[in-house]
Amino acid sequence: MLKALLARVHQGRRTLAYPEETPPLPDRFRGLPQLDPGRCRTGCGDCVEACPTGAIRTNGPELTLDLGRCLFCVDCVEACPDGAITYSREYRMATRAREDLVLDGGALRLATALDDESRRIFGRSLKLRQVSAGGCNACEADVNVLNTVVFDLGRFGIQFVASPRHADGLLVTGAVSDHMKLALRKTYDAIP
């Protein structure tokens, strides 16, 4: 036990310094897509055809990308002959409204702090119940990592709870299968 404590003291602080510092990102990280409508040829449509999810749309010279549908697969970047779509290193992409996820070449409207009513309801903490509704376990692995000493989601007041009765919200991972439909509905109904 003493060796373990000495090792921890020797290692020092293990959490990320986020939000004061930018988190270290791997070289292969693909951040916020950047659109340059000025470089897009009118009526080309190569990027639209290459997108497997239909996240990219054109309306004449206007080019839009829906981050809610984007897989960050770079098929559009490779298909665009003019280089109108690129990926940045920007990791902040959270928004407050679904319509803010649609990029049109302008700046992404990032999520803002909670309003007074939401802050009063949640009391500066958020308890979530996570339900795997038919996924491949990749999302669950990512959620588990959020509770490790490196990311330490608890320092922001967000915790995962074992019972839906203690939860403020529900985090659903995976595509909802027919077999999980009833269980997910019961969990949703049990959340106060």
Side-chain angles (χ1 to χ4, degrees):
M1 180 70 178
L2 183 58
K3 286 183 181 180
L5 290 173
L6 288 174
R8 285 294 295 135
V9 169
H10 177 67
Q11 291 171 359
R13 179 179 167 183
R14 297 281 301 253
T15 59
L16 296 174
Y18 179 83
E20 289 81 23
E21 296 177 16
T22 301
L25 302 169
D27 292 336
R28 67 180 186 269
F29 175 75
R30 292 184 196 124
L32 180 67
Q34 300 290 314
L35 302 179
D36 188 354
R39 297 184 76 173
C40 184
R41 292 184 301 168
T42 305
C44 167
D46 290 348
C47 58
V48 176
E49 292 176 25
C51 183
T53 60
I56 302 173
R57 299 186 187 220
T58 57
N59 185 10
E62 187 177 314
L63 182 68
T64 61
L65 190 147
D66 187 347
L67 288 174
R69 302 183 80 169
C70 183
L71 297 175
F72 296 81
C73 68
V74 303
D75 288 353
C76 57
V77 174
E78 294 170 358
C80 182
D82 302 320
I85 304 173
T86 57
Y87 282 92
S88 69
R89 303 280 296 161
E90 179 59 55
Y91 60 92
R92 295 173 297 169
M93 292 180 251
T95 63
R96 295 276 305 262
R98 174 67 177 94
E99 58 269 10
D100 291 338
L101 288 173
V102 179
L103 298 175
D104 59 1
L108 178 69
R109 186 174 163 193
L110 294 174
T112 56
L114 292 176
D115 56 14
D116 291 337
E117 178 65 15
S118 298
R119 191 180 299 263
R120 184 190 65 76
I121 291 171
F122 294 117
R124 299 179 55 95
S125 71
L126 180 63
K127 311 290 188 212
L128 297 173
R129 173 68 175 129
Q130 186 266 334
V131 174
S132 175
C136 67
N137 207 31
C139 296
E140 290 80 7
D142 286 344
V143 170
N144 287 337
V145 166
L146 293 175
N147 292 315
T148 63
V149 297
V150 175
F151 293 97
D152 193 15
L153 201 59
R155 68 184 157 150
F156 299 112
I158 301 171
Q159 297 174 342
F160 292 96
V161 294
S163 170
R165 301 257 181 233
H166 301 144
D168 298 314
L170 181 64
L171 174 63
V172 181
T173 55
V176 180
S177 65
D178 285 337
H179 295 286
M180 283 299 294
K181 188 175 177 181
L182 179 62
L184 182 60
R185 185 72 201 172
K186 285 182 177 181
T187 303
Y188 178 82
D189 291 338
I191 293 175

